[in-house]
Amino acid sequence: MTMAQAPAFPQSTETAPVVAGDAAYRRREAARRLKEWALQGALALALLAALAFLAGNVGENLAARNIRSGFDFLHGAAGFDIGESLIAFSSSDTVLKAFAAGVLNTLRVAVFSVISATILGVVVGLMRLARHPIIRALGTAHVEVYRNIPLIIQLLALYLLITELLPVSTDALTAGGWALLSKAGLQIAVPESAGLALLAAAIVFALTALLVRERYRRRVTDLVATLAGFWIGIAAALLVWLLFGAAGGWSKPHIDGFAIEGGASLSPEFLALWLGLTLFTSASIAEIVRAGVLAVSVNQWHAGLALGMSKVQTVSYIVFPQSMRLAIPPLASQYMNLTKNSSLAVVIGYPDFVAVGNASINVTGQAIEIICVVMAVYLVLNLIIALAMNALNARILRAPR
């Protein structure tokens, strides 16, 4: 029988019911999604209506009491000074610029504290896992003391230690002329062209960290390559800083009468807040690191040692990268808590964003608007931290095990 004479196979009668069933399923899913969107839209409209009602009610009450409302005050003169600021500020500048100075002060202490708390937390976490009883006891004492004392008490204690027990500026503790420590704070030597040196160091750090990471990411895990790039970038930035000082000279702090001149100054308020946030947060980070390491199977340790790795190599290349898969989400929460806890600066007089907001309330009297601005700024800062840590977590989870 030729191909042309071959009988045709009967068409399946099951195709039509299957297609019909798929069409019915799609219709049901479309109806379900439409119902969900309708419900969510109704809830959103109800929420907007409630907010509009509250806003209108508040506006009417403020108008009845002849209290000014709105955000026009942001463009008026602040009417107060800020003790320390990263940007030039005077009482004649606008409230908006005062808010900008406060945000920069908050970011300054938050960034410093996140870096120092992370480093100290990792060290203390590994100390708690050490076999030597004294090292393990010291790590445990650090965690139990700083984690269980309220942060506000620690800040007050540190501030009192700095302002009461340290010598006056004329008898400041010195470190070979490179640093002075007194009731006036910490003064350190910086290159004469400190701004240019800082910019160059930041550029060198970023480029070095990126190049090292891209070079070694194929040889080791992505996390180890990133950490190696970070530390080598720090070393390169420090070298650039020293080279600028050696070439252009150093501005060293020195006692001039009753004051200290030269160098860069860290106020007692900044030091107390920085140390308090570092010690308090590092205790929680240490427990996160310890829990992450303990979650890695002991067989991973044995496998690394069986391959001829040292204990340091086993921790660096096998245990620590795996533990970070569990540590990143709680670390994000600690970083956000640290940023929010920096608002306690108001109790020791550091001019952070909340302190600037309080001063603005006293001058303008528009408490509701200023509180809304403060809430919005902290919400944005913590959302940025959450997005960055979620991106890092997703990258680590995508990395090969």
Side-chain angles (χ1 to χ4, degrees):
M1 180 180 294
T2 63
M3 293 294 295
Q5 298 173 334
F9 291 99
Q11 297 294 326
S12 175
T13 58
E14 298 179 358
T15 303
V18 171
V19 173
D22 290 342
Y25 173 77
R26 287 195 294 268
R27 286 195 298 270
R28 288 195 300 270
E29 284 296 306
R32 182 182 62 82
R33 286 195 296 268
L34 180 61
K35 185 184 298 184
E36 290 178 352
W37 279 105
L39 178 59
Q40 294 178 20
L43 291 176
L45 289 176
L47 179 60
L48 290 176
L51 292 176
F53 172 76
L54 290 176
N57 190 26
V58 170
E60 292 176 0
N61 290 330
L62 291 177
R65 292 168 174 78
N66 294 321
I67 299 177
R68 186 177 58 179
S69 61
F71 292 90
D72 294 337
F73 71 94
L74 292 174
H75 304 289
F80 58 86
D81 290 320
I82 297 178
E84 56 182 296
S85 175
L86 296 178
I87 58 177
F89 180 81
S90 65
S91 59
S92 59
D93 290 324
T94 63
V95 176
L96 186 61
K97 188 174 182 180
F99 283 169
V103 170
L104 289 177
N105 282 342
T106 295
L107 290 175
R108 177 191 180 199
V109 73
V111 170
F112 273 76
S113 301
V114 163
I115 295 174
S116 56
T118 302
I119 295 173
L120 182 59
V122 171
V123 172
V124 173
L126 296 178
M127 287 175 61
R128 293 210 63 189
L129 296 171
R131 294 184 177 180
H132 198 287
I134 296 180
I135 296 177
R136 190 170 61 251
L138 290 175
T140 302
H142 178 96
V143 170
E144 298 302 332
V145 170
Y146 293 115
R147 186 178 60 174
N148 294 310
I149 298 178
L151 177 57
I152 190 172
I153 304 300
Q154 296 186 39
L155 293 178
L156 291 173
L158 289 169
Y159 187 65
L160 289 175
L161 287 175
I162 293 174
T163 56
E164 296 295 333
L165 298 185
L166 288 179
V168 295
S169 57
T170 54
D171 298 323
L173 303 176
T174 181
W178 292 94
L180 295 176
L181 181 62
S182 65
K183 295 180 184 293
L186 176 65
Q187 287 75 30
I188 57 176
V190 295
E192 291 288 351
S193 55
L196 183 60
L198 183 61
L199 177 61
I203 294 174
V204 169
F205 163 76
L207 293 177
T208 303
L210 180 61
L211 291 175
V212 170
R213 178 180 177 276
E214 293 300 321
R215 180 176 179 83
Y216 290 101
R217 62 183 301 184
R218 294 182 179 87
R219 303 183 187 179
V220 295
T221 63
D222 189 68
L223 177 62
V224 172
T226 301
L227 293 175
F230 175 81
W231 288 113
I232 295 176
I234 289 289
L238 180 60
L239 179 61
V240 169
W241 181 266
L242 296 176
L243 290 176
F244 265 83
W250 293 89
S251 173
K252 296 184 178 180
H254 60 277
I255 300 174
D256 186 6
F258 294 99
I260 298 178
E261 302 292 340
S265 177
L266 300 177
S267 68
E269 294 79 13
F270 177 84
L271 289 176
L273 183 60
W274 181 20
L275 289 175
L277 290 174
T278 297
L279 295 174
F280 183 78
T281 309
S282 65
S284 299
I285 292 178
E287 289 298 272
I288 293 172
V289 171
R290 185 174 73 95
V293 173
L294 291 177
V296 179
S297 173
V298 68
N299 294 329
Q300 300 290 323
W301 291 82
H302 296 161
L305 297 175
L307 292 173
M309 292 183 176
S310 64
K311 291 184 178 179
V312 175
Q313 290 175 326
T314 302
V315 171
S316 301
Y317 298 121
I318 297 178
V319 177
F320 194 70
Q322 294 186 65
S323 65
M324 290 302 293
R325 296 176 185 268
L326 302 174
I328 291 297
L331 276 179
S333 297
Q334 290 302 319
Y335 293 158
M336 288 187 285
N337 288 335
L338 186 151
T339 303
K340 291 179 289 187
N341 288 337
S342 67
S343 61
L344 292 175
V346 68
V347 302
I348 57 174
Y350 178 71
D352 74 323
F353 186 55
V354 173
V356 172
N358 289 337
S360 301
I361 291 175
N362 294 330
V363 172
T364 64
Q366 296 188 240
I368 295 177
E369 293 86 348
I370 293 175
I371 290 175
C372 289
V373 171
V374 172
M375 292 172 60
V377 168
Y378 275 102
L379 177 62
V380 170
L381 291 179
N382 282 284
L383 285 177
I384 292 174
I385 295 174
L387 289 174
M389 296 301 290
N390 287 340
L392 176 61
N393 186 47
R395 189 174 186 86
I396 291 177
L397 290 177
R398 287 197 304 266
R401 294 180 179 271

